[in-house]
Amino acid sequence: MQAPDTPPNEAQRLQALRELQVLDTPTDQAFDRLTQLARDLFDVPVALVSLVDQNRQWFKSHLGLSAEETPRCVSLCAHAVANDASLVIADTLDDARFADNPMVTSSPHIRFYAGFPLRPHGDLPVGTFCLIDHQPRELSARDHLLLENLAGQAEELLRQHKISADLARTAKRYEALFSSSAVAKVRIDRAGTIIAVNAAVFGLLGYRQPELIGQNVAVLTPPEIAAHHNTYINHYLAGGRPKVIGTGREVEAQHKAGYRVPVHLAINAIHDDAGNVDEFLGVLTDLSDIHATHQRMQKEQSLLKVLHQGITDYQALMSGERLWTFLMEALRDLTDSDYALIGEVLPTETNRALKIHAITDLSWSQESHKLMERLRSGNMMLTNPDSLLGRVFAYGEVIMTDDLYQHKLRGGFPPGHPPINNYLGVPIFSAGELIGMFAIANSQQPLSQELIDWLQPFTDTCALLINLYRQMAEREQVTRDLAHARDQAEQANRAKSDFLSSMSHELRTPLNAILGFAQILANGKRHPLSDKQLRQVNQIDKSGQHLLSLINEVLDLAKIEAGRLPLSIEPIHLQSVLDDACDTLAANANAASITLLRCRVPANWYVYADYTRTKQVLLNLISNAIKYNRVNGRVEISAQQQDSTIWVHVTDTGPGVAPERQDELFEPFNRLDAENSTTEGTGIGLAITRELVNRMGGEIHVESTLGQGTTFCFSLPVVRDSAAAAKPPSNAPKRAASGVRHERRVLYIEDNPANQRLMEDIFDDVDDVVLQTVPSAEIGLEVIRGRLPDLVLMDLHLPGMDGYQALAAIRRHPELKHLPVIALSANAMQSDIKNGLEAGFDDYLTKPLEIDKLLDTLQRYTPSRGSA
């Protein structure tokens, strides 16, 4: 038996078959009528509509044959499909291809076969229309033409079947898009009458479907708009410019209960085949949560503004005797209250008393006005512990009620007193001591524990200001004491850092001269050096750079051992810090002909660590792996999670380290005889790395095989809290988008993680700028030498080399001396700015950072280049 061949376009043919959506569908009378007609016309027992699938032939119609499908390998139709031509076999027993075919030798005992390929779409045959007889017979030319016409009719039926399936699917989609949509949708006719609504309208506006069908759509709009609603539709139908139709905007819808719901309304005009407007579809998106969030944000901003002004303008407010009035009015605004008071709790011989500093005027008569003045002036103390105020200032209780007139502590209101609907009294504590209270009445907000919690920053600020107020009489002495304590602390800090400062200054001063003159000699144009002299000068510069690196690492190690290196432990995104470190050293790896392979870890892997110091650990390990490697070697970074820790592995293909000497790797200044090689190093990088990992709660190990390479692995604690890990990584440098767009590259040298995040957030909205952040000037200089940025933002107080020293190193280099370098510092005195500009910075920006000024400075020194 000869099995049918597989057509060269089999994949496309099978795709065309599946797109018909006919396989395994129920019996269809239209197809059966067609095959019955063929049986009658040709007087044959079997007529089939056969579709050749991947491993079978399946019959859409199989009159005269009980089987619904057969294997493809025994299918005669598959031969016709493979050759993409009609196939007529007068006697199968005389054809060597089919004489031993099971379909011939056993049921259904095929002796005659005639099949014509079915191509319902294009030129891809998906099956055949075929005739089968149990006796040999011939097929005339007229019969062949008739069979071809029947096959054409079968092709049309297949096309109609696909159209019906597509229409059914489209109808289901429409039903899902309209009736089952979670968004409220309304269909109206040209007259504005509602003809259909979905279930979401009830959830949004409270109306059920029968209540709206046949009503004018104006029933869903506020009264002031309802009367003009039909005018808008008629205006649009008359060709006027649409205001909502086709554009969408935020409006208010009228709820069945009478209140208004903020929504985004989008109305689309639906046209008939002639292009005329047949009906309109309105889509209403609930904006209630967004509006509520906006109102909460406004409240939060108001709260922050009050706290900021209360603290920063304390002296001015106090000198003008406006502090307490400012706080009271702020409290009223924050809580939407008619009345408020703020007072200070003072101890008495028996209990406590309340001295009112500010109170809203509640007077209703001449006498009550005088009483309010006495209370406001502080000449009158409140001492009753069993009143609504007394329970707060005497016992520190929170008193909250929405029915003041039925409250057991209400002492009664005289005739004419303004009505009080609700009341909230909150005690103010400082270090467990009751020092004050505030109260509000007639608040438009619901009184609840949630409101009290939200006001806690305000309460804490009041506690701070009350304490400051109490200390005014002793302010000068406190100021002197603070100044004396500050002087002592500064003197102690200076004494602790004298050695490090002296070492840094005394060693860097001659070293800067050595490196500077070496570069002058190397780059001299008037008196060029010979090749031998140039090699000697380059050796001076190389050795000087090595000494400078040693000095910086010694200072860094000294800070760690002295406990003077602060860490900011927080959840950090592991992939971000891995990419950041690899991107920084990519140029170094390329220069050394080393392949740098980085892993991709799961997106939800976060660790508790200091981002800057974790990056420093990675930079030290990857840099060593590049330096101590073989030519055309490989460095691979990988990670795996074990219980509550994540282990990061840095593997190289270098010479390896003998097992008996691996413990020496972490000893300061021990380079395992590498000092006799051409590879530069200080010998304390791994010592610093181990101290940093240990201080971040991790471990570090080394595994090495002589002649095969070395793996350093360190661990960090896993972040288990999904909420803490939900924050997107903010420390990693922003990357350039792919494409041909010319982008401005800005290098930011800053060791403070919070400042790094702030700058990255700022530059996130600047489309054509790529920001790269590094934690030290030393790393920054390496990045600049690897790839020149368009601008450098430089913090002045940096670990190791400070901003002034980094600027000097940049200006000494002939290729870098014109690079724009902007100082960024919290030293904001005029003398600081003057010193920075005189030192050679192109500009000097101060902290807190003014974003507009930063962006103006960026545009001034690196104008946008646009697209290529």
Side-chain angles (χ1 to χ4, degrees):
M1 183 191 74
Q2 177 179 329
D5 296 331
T6 300
N9 58 353
E10 177 70 358
Q12 294 88 342
R13 191 192 70 79
L14 289 174
Q15 180 63 28
L17 173 61
R18 285 166 174 71
E19 288 178 355
L20 291 174
Q21 305 175 63
V22 69
L23 289 174
D24 299 312
T25 56
T27 301
D28 192 321
Q29 289 186 0
F31 286 92
D32 287 348
R33 283 196 294 267
L34 184 63
T35 52
Q36 182 61 48
L37 176 62
R39 293 174 66 193
D40 295 341
L41 287 173
F42 290 96
D43 191 21
V44 295
V46 180
L48 305 173
V49 176
S50 172
L51 300 172
V52 180
D53 200 358
Q54 185 172 7
N55 298 309
R56 61 171 178 163
Q57 69 170 349
W58 179 82
F59 306 123
K60 177 60 180 173
S61 180
H62 52 98
L63 294 186
L65 186 67
S66 60
E68 295 184 351
E69 62 179 56
T70 66
R72 179 173 175 175
C73 61
V74 300
S75 168
L76 277 68
C77 296
H79 287 270
V81 169
N83 296 323
D84 195 11
S86 60
L87 176 64
V88 179
I89 307 168
D91 190 344
T92 56
L93 296 180
D94 293 338
D95 194 317
R97 296 174 297 172
F98 308 108
D100 58 348
N101 190 300
M103 302 291 289
V104 175
T105 60
S106 60
S107 180
H109 299 287
I110 300 174
R111 290 291 300 276
F112 166 77
Y113 174 87
F116 197 90
L118 298 177
R119 309 180 188 89
H121 289 293
D123 56 355
L124 295 172
V126 298
T128 68
F129 188 91
C130 67
L131 307 173
I132 293 175
D133 201 343
H134 305 311
Q135 303 296 328
R137 62 185 296 170
E138 298 291 336
L139 194 69
S140 67
R142 179 180 177 278
D143 291 340
H144 191 279
L145 180 61
L146 185 59
L147 178 61
E148 180 180 356
N149 289 334
L150 289 173
Q153 186 61 34
E155 290 175 342
E156 182 60 31
L157 289 176
L158 289 171
R159 285 191 288 269
Q160 292 300 321
H161 183 279
K162 182 179 185 306
I163 292 173
S164 297
D166 289 341
L167 288 174
R169 189 169 65 252
T170 300
K172 290 181 179 179
R173 287 179 178 175
Y174 172 79
E175 179 67 19
L177 288 173
F178 184 81
S179 300
S180 303
S181 174
V183 179
K185 295 181 179 180
V186 180
R187 291 174 53 203
I188 61 175
D189 61 17
R190 291 168 56 93
T193 303
I194 298 174
I195 57 179
V197 297
N198 66 354
V201 171
F202 172 72
L204 179 63
L205 300 177
Y207 289 98
R208 297 194 179 276
Q209 189 175 28
E211 297 176 298
L212 293 177
I213 302 302
Q215 297 286 330
N216 190 282
V217 72
V219 71
L220 302 179
T221 63
E224 66 272 14
I225 299 178
H228 308 285
H229 203 273
N230 287 341
T231 304
Y232 302 148
I233 297 178
N234 295 333
H235 176 74
Y236 174 79
L237 294 175
R241 183 177 180 181
K243 295 183 179 180
V244 178
I245 300 172
T247 58
R249 67 177 181 181
E250 293 186 12
V251 298
E252 288 183 323
Q254 189 78 7
H255 194 276
K256 179 181 177 181
Y259 62 87
R260 302 185 181 197
V261 179
V263 297
H264 179 274
L265 174 62
I267 300 180
N268 294 314
I270 300 175
H271 298 79
D272 58 20
D273 294 339
N276 299 316
V277 175
D278 187 38
E279 62 179 79
F280 298 94
L281 175 64
V283 180
L284 295 87
T285 305
D286 189 2
L287 300 181
S288 300
D289 290 342
I290 297 177
H291 279 227
T293 301
H294 181 66
Q295 291 177 347
R296 286 196 298 270
M297 288 178 60
Q298 288 182 325
K299 285 293 184 184
E300 294 288 349
Q301 291 173 353
S302 299
L303 177 59
L304 290 174
K305 181 179 179 181
V306 169
L307 301 181
H308 180 267
Q309 187 173 355
I311 298 300
T312 57
D313 294 351
Y314 169 74
Q315 294 289 353
L317 291 169
M318 208 67 206
S319 62
E321 297 183 354
R322 295 181 293 110
L323 175 63
W324 306 112
T325 302
F326 163 76
L327 291 175
M328 181 193 68
E329 293 299 332
L331 179 62
R332 289 181 58 203
D333 291 339
L334 292 173
T335 59
D336 298 321
S337 300
D338 292 337
Y339 308 108
L341 69 83
I342 293 180
E344 179 185 0
V345 175
L346 301 175
T348 65
E349 294 180 358
T350 57
N351 201 337
R352 299 183 181 95
L354 178 67
K355 178 181 180 181
I356 294 180
H357 288 299
I359 184 172
T360 309
D361 192 353
L362 273 165
S363 59
W364 61 94
S365 63
Q366 186 72 21
E367 290 185 1
S368 63
H369 180 71
K370 293 179 180 179
L371 176 63
M372 297 300 300
E373 289 297 325
R374 289 184 61 193
L375 287 172
R376 191 179 290 111
S377 67
N379 295 328
M380 180 179 176
M381 298 286 190
L382 299 181
T383 58
N384 181 8
D386 297 319
S387 64
L388 286 167
L389 292 175
R391 301 300 296 183
V392 182
F393 69 74
Y395 302 106
E397 298 177 8
V398 173
I399 301 297
M400 179 168 50
T401 178
D402 288 321
D403 188 359
L404 197 66
Y405 292 90
Q406 300 299 321
H407 199 279
K408 61 182 180 180
L409 295 177
R410 183 182 68 87
F413 296 115
H417 191 285
I420 304 296
N421 303 320
N422 55 36
Y423 166 83
L424 172 64
V426 178
I428 300 173
F429 290 93
S430 175
E433 178 188 358
L434 181 60
I435 63 172
M437 69 161 289
F438 66 77
I440 58 173
N442 289 6
S443 172
Q444 300 302 311
Q445 298 185 30
L447 301 182
S448 64
Q449 184 61 44
E450 182 180 359
L451 176 62
I452 297 173
D453 294 340
W454 184 77
L455 286 171
Q456 189 59 49
F458 176 85
T459 307
D460 294 339
T461 301
C462 289
L464 173 62
L465 296 178
I466 290 173
N467 284 326
L468 289 174
Y469 174 78
R470 288 179 171 182
Q471 295 167 3
M472 285 187 62
E474 302 174 2
R475 183 175 55 183
E476 291 185 2
Q477 183 60 42
V478 171
T479 302
R480 286 194 297 269
D481 292 343
L482 288 175
H484 180 65
R486 182 195 60 213
D487 293 342
Q488 285 184 325
E490 290 178 353
Q491 184 178 0
N493 287 333
R494 283 195 299 270
K496 291 178 183 178
S497 59
D498 274 349
F499 172 74
L500 294 178
S501 298
S502 176
M503 181 179 179
S504 174
H505 180 269
E506 294 301 328
L507 291 179
R508 279 199 176 103
T509 298
L511 187 57
N512 286 339
I514 293 171
L515 293 175
F517 282 114
Q519 294 180 52
I520 290 174
L521 289 172
N523 298 310
K525 304 298 185 188
R526 183 173 300 176
H527 302 292
L529 301 178
S530 65
D531 291 343
K532 180 179 180 180
Q533 292 170 327
L534 187 59
R535 287 196 302 272
Q536 294 170 342
V537 170
N538 287 337
Q539 187 59 43
I540 294 173
D541 181 71
K542 184 177 180 180
S543 299
Q545 293 291 349
H546 173 65
L547 179 57
L548 181 59
S549 176
L550 176 61
I551 293 169
N552 291 333
E553 290 196 347
V554 168
L555 293 176
D556 212 2
L557 182 60
K559 289 180 181 178
I560 295 175
E561 293 178 344
R564 296 175 56 222
L565 191 68
L567 294 176
S568 176
I569 304 299
E570 60 183 349
I572 66 172
H573 191 239
L574 184 60
Q575 188 66 58
S576 297
V577 71
L578 289 175
D579 289 342
D580 196 354
C582 290
D583 291 345
T584 301
L585 293 175
N588 301 60
N590 290 335
S593 300
I594 300 296
T595 301
L596 182 59
L597 303 174
R598 70 182 77 177
C599 66
R600 303 300 301 179
V601 303
N604 62 344
W605 277 18
Y606 285 75
V607 294
Y608 281 113
D610 182 298
Y611 185 95
T612 302
R613 299 309 171 187
T614 304
K615 179 179 176 181
Q616 183 177 351
V617 168
L618 285 167
L619 291 176
N620 285 340
L621 296 180
I622 298 173
S623 176
N624 283 348
I626 293 172
K627 288 192 295 184
Y628 300 104
N629 212 318
R630 57 177 171 81
V631 178
N632 297 322
R634 186 177 71 256
V635 175
E636 183 174 355
I637 297 92
S638 60
Q640 64 182 26
Q641 182 172 347
Q642 294 182 0
D643 299 327
S644 60
T645 60
I646 289 179
W647 287 87
V648 179
H649 303 260
V650 178
T651 303
D652 64 54
T653 55
V657 180
E660 65 272 12
R661 303 205 64 184
Q662 290 177 10
D663 290 339
E664 302 176 39
L665 285 169
F666 299 102
E667 296 178 1
F669 306 104
N670 189 340
R671 299 187 60 208
L672 303 190
D673 304 326
E675 59 270 14
N676 299 321
S677 69
T678 59
T679 304
E680 293 186 351
T682 63
I684 63 173
L686 289 177
I688 293 174
T689 298
R690 181 176 62 180
E691 293 295 334
L692 289 175
V693 171
N694 290 342
R695 288 197 60 191
M696 291 189 292
E699 302 176 18
I700 186 166
H701 304 295
V702 61
E703 299 175 1
S704 185
T705 303
L706 282 175
Q708 296 184 17
T710 303
T711 296
F712 283 91
C713 55
F714 67 93
S715 66
L716 291 171
V718 170
V719 177
R720 294 288 190 186
D721 184 2
S722 59
K727 298 185 297 183
S730 59
N731 304 80
K734 300 298 182 287
R735 301 187 177 188
S738 61
V740 297
R741 186 175 178 85
H742 289 292
E743 295 166 319
R744 296 174 285 171
R745 301 184 61 84
V746 175
L747 176 65
Y748 182 37
I749 304 176
E750 168 65 74
D751 66 322
N752 185 289
N755 291 337
Q756 291 176 353
R757 285 196 295 268
L758 172 62
M759 190 63 70
E760 288 161 359
D761 287 345
I762 292 172
F763 277 89
D764 190 54
D765 293 329
V766 184
D767 293 334
D768 61 343
V769 173
V770 178
L771 178 70
Q772 182 174 6
T773 303
V774 296
S776 69
E778 292 84 348
I779 297 176
L781 291 175
E782 289 296 326
V783 172
I784 292 172
R785 294 187 186 105
R787 182 173 182 180
L788 188 67
D790 295 299
L791 180 86
V792 176
L793 289 172
M794 179 85 72
D795 183 38
L796 297 183
H797 296 285
L798 295 167
M801 181 183 293
D802 64 20
Y804 286 102
Q805 293 166 330
L807 177 68
I810 291 172
R811 296 300 186 229
R812 283 197 303 269
H813 199 291
E815 296 179 2
L816 305 179
K817 64 181 180 180
H818 297 301
L819 175 65
V821 182
I822 310 300
L824 186 58
S825 175
N827 295 342
M829 301 293 290
Q830 287 299 322
S831 58
D832 297 325
I833 298 174
K834 180 181 178 182
N835 292 338
L837 295 176
E838 290 178 350
F841 285 101
D842 295 279
D843 212 327
Y844 193 109
L845 301 178
T846 61
K847 301 174 184 177
L849 185 62
E850 295 181 39
I851 297 177
D852 290 340
K853 188 172 182 180
L854 169 66
L855 297 179
D856 290 340
T857 303
L858 171 68
Q859 184 65 23
R860 188 164 67 254
Y861 287 97
T862 61
S864 178
R865 304 173 192 167
S867 300

